[in-house]
């Protein structure tokens, strides 16, 4: 199993995790993915890359320095977490994690997501 597949499996072991992907921001393509969130994870990954690119453009337009750490989209039954990887080796990628809102502990899931994301390497 590749390191990326191992990272996806670690993400899916987070309580309430339904799906996870490692996504290229510029293309929207998933480098690795897994789980069964009840929708097409590759389409969601591509859509969320649009969200990240839009936020980066807005930051540039506003003259804001710095980087995006993470973003959260709250749905009535799910949390969608986007963790942007900013290390030199993984720059341009983000981790996308879908959580069942009724089964997940959001604070613990974010902590575990950050820990796993910081270990991802290519």
């Amino acid at each position: 199993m590749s390191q990326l597949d191992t990272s996806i499996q670690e993400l899916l072991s987070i309580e309430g995790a339904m799906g996870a992907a490692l996504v290229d921001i510029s293309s929207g393509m998933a480098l690795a993915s897994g789980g069964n969130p009840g929708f097409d994870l590759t389409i969601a990954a591509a859509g969320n890359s649009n969200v990240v690119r839009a936020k980066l453009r807005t930051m540039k337009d506003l003259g804001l320095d710095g980087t995006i750490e993470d973003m959260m989209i709250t749905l009535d039954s799910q949390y969608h977490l986007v963790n942007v990887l900013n290390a030199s080796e993984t720059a341009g990628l983000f981790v996308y994690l879908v959580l069942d809102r009724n089964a997940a502990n959001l604070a613990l899931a974010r902590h575990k997501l950050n820990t796993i994301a910081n270990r991802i390497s290519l």
Side-chain angles (χ1 to χ4, degrees):
M1 184 178 288
S2 76
Q3 192 273 339
L4 295 181
D5 291 331
T6 301
S7 295
I8 294 296
Q9 291 308 309
E10 286 182 83
L11 290 163
L12 291 173
S13 73
I14 296 172
E15 186 173 350
M18 300 171 65
L22 179 63
V23 185
D24 177 74
I25 294 170
S26 62
S27 70
M29 302 277 300
L31 282 65
S33 64
N36 186 16
F39 54 83
D40 189 326
L41 200 54
T42 58
I43 292 173
N48 281 299
S49 70
N50 291 333
V51 173
V52 173
R53 285 194 308 271
K55 185 59 184 174
L56 289 169
R57 278 192 308 273
T58 302
M59 288 171 62
K60 182 178 178 185
D61 291 346
L62 294 172
L64 297 176
D65 292 328
T67 58
I68 299 171
E69 289 182 15
D70 61 15
M71 302 167 74
M72 181 175 72
I73 300 166
T74 305
L75 305 179
D76 59 351
S77 63
Q78 298 173 340
Y79 296 119
H80 292 225
L81 305 180
V82 172
N83 184 294
V84 179
L85 305 180
N86 291 305
S88 60
E89 183 182 355
T90 55
L93 303 175
F94 68 87
V95 175
Y96 173 48
L97 180 63
V98 180
L99 299 169
D100 178 331
R101 188 172 174 159
N102 293 318
N105 175 321
L106 182 57
L108 186 57
R110 287 186 70 216
H111 175 74
K112 289 182 177 182
L113 169 57
N114 285 328
T115 299
I116 295 165
N118 286 330
R119 289 195 313 255
I120 293 176
S121 63
L122 299 179

